[in-house]
Amino acid sequence: MDYQKILNEIDSELDKGKFGGKVADYIPELADVKEDCFGIHLCSLEKGNFAIGQNEQRFSIQSISKVFALTMAYPMLGEKLWKRVGVEPSGNPFNSLVQLEYESGIPRNPLINAGALVICDILISKLQNPKQEFLEFVQKLSGNPGIGFNKKVAESEKETGYRNVALASLMKSFGNIENLVEDVLDFYFYMCSIEMSCKELSQTFLLYANHGKHFVTGERILNASQSKRLSAILLTCGFYDQAGEFTFKVGLPGKSGVGGGIVAVFPEHYSVAVWSPKLNKAGNSVLGMEVLERLTTKTGLSIF
Ligand code: DON
């Protein structure tokens, strides 16, 4: 399989101007990103690295960081984790409040905002210095100590993130948040503000293509069962109310963020990240979805 040839073909065939979408501006600091930024990085377990465009430029990974938080929290609590958060797709937008009241403050899954807030609460309870230790965990997974938070993005979301305030407060009222709501939100906003490039994201996500083992050091981060379950959650919940459509079109587990990044995993083979900041109504990168659909169509390879 000549991945570079296929990525080149996708890049030249794609009439990028033709696709719509809008850069996320509900977090003021994200609105400044140039809308025509574009990068792809595919990292294969057997064949190395393949790239297009701005694959090494860092951007705000936003919700993609929820996957790393889950990866850190899952081995700490084991299966007890699923008493605090479910594993069903929500079929609702990522920041929706509606199910939480009916379902007694237990979020549908760890990748919607409510679920990620519960995961943040768990990490705060377990860690001495949550922000620092979480950042070091992501640096270890990526093999890159240069990865950091963007304080401006985190503080900008803190000033405007009223829906997350509502989600955390509602869950606190049901007893599903142990720590102070403001501490959980502070950690959550910093977690979402991490910046990584497509290259760093695809290399880090090789962990999930490799059944929970770090792709370079061989360190076991998740056991095989945890890795299977986490990938299943990526497939069923990674794209919120578009999880069905992403699976239908692309056929790979993955995760998006409102910074315009999407990462997808082809188990035992590769991980691929795309960055294009214009989003559709569900908050997923329009071009990102298009590129990945073309990739699995042209290669004829997906999990199905
Ligand atoms: O909480 C928020 O709204 C953002 N920090 C993250 C949302 C996000 O990335 C959803 N992804 N598509």
Side-chain angles (χ1 to χ4, degrees), residues 33 88 132 219 233 261:
V33 177
E88 291 298 338
Q132 187 55 30
E219 184 186 348
I233 294 171

Side-chain angles (χ1 to χ4, degrees), residues 64-76:
I64 298 171
S65 65
K66 294 170 181 172
V67 183
F68 304 140
L70 178 60
T71 303
M72 193 177 196
Y74 192 4
M76 288 175 174

Side-chain angles (χ1 to χ4, degrees), residues 180-195:
L180 290 175
V181 164
E182 66 211 65
D183 290 348
V184 175
L185 289 166
D186 177 69
F187 179 64
Y188 172 81
F189 292 138
Y190 272 84
M191 175 194 87
C192 290
S193 80
I194 284 185
E195 293 186 331

Side-chain angles (χ1 to χ4, degrees), residues 26-27 62-63 66 94 113 157 164 188-189 192 240 255-259 282-284:
Y26 76 98
I27 302 172
Q62 290 296 319
S63 282
K66 294 170 181 172
F94 60 83
N113 290 11
E157 191 170 10
N164 289 317
Y188 172 81
F189 292 138
C192 290
Y240 318 110
K255 185 72 201 86
S256 64
V258 291
N284 299 319

Side-chain angles (χ1 to χ4, degrees), residues 72-73 75-78 80 84 119-130 133 178-179:
M72 193 177 196
M76 288 175 174
L77 253 69
K80 278 192 274 179
R84 305 258 324 254
I119 301 295
C120 288
D121 185 51
I122 291 166
L123 290 176
I124 293 175
S125 297
K126 292 276 178 195
L127 302 172
Q128 297 285 326
N129 190 348
E133 288 174 52
E178 292 171 354
N179 297 282

Side-chain angles (χ1 to χ4, degrees), residues 5-72:
K5 183 166 166 272
I6 290 171
L7 293 183
N8 290 344
E9 264 174 40
I10 294 172
D11 186 42
S12 61
E13 285 167 14
L14 210 55
D15 185 358
K16 300 189 187 79
K18 193 185 106 197
F19 293 86
K22 214 172 145 286
V23 174
D25 57 5
Y26 76 98
I27 302 172
E29 201 63 34
L30 287 186
D32 296 340
V33 177
K34 286 208 189 78
E35 62 177 36
D36 57 355
C37 293
F38 182 73
I40 312 178
H41 194 99
L42 187 151
C43 191
S44 151
L45 283 167
E46 304 105 6
K47 297 179 179 171
N49 293 275
F50 308 91
I52 295 282
Q54 291 156 282
N55 68 307
E56 295 200 39
Q57 189 173 320
R58 289 191 178 141
F59 59 90
S60 194
I61 69 167
Q62 290 296 319
S63 282
I64 298 171
S65 65
K66 294 170 181 172
V67 183
F68 304 140
L70 178 60
T71 303
M72 193 177 196

Side-chain angles (χ1 to χ4, degrees), residues 270-288:
Y270 68 70
S271 164
V272 58
V274 188
W275 176 43
S276 167
K278 289 208 284 181
L279 310 178
N280 62 25
K281 287 209 172 92
N284 299 319
S285 168
V286 175
L287 271 180

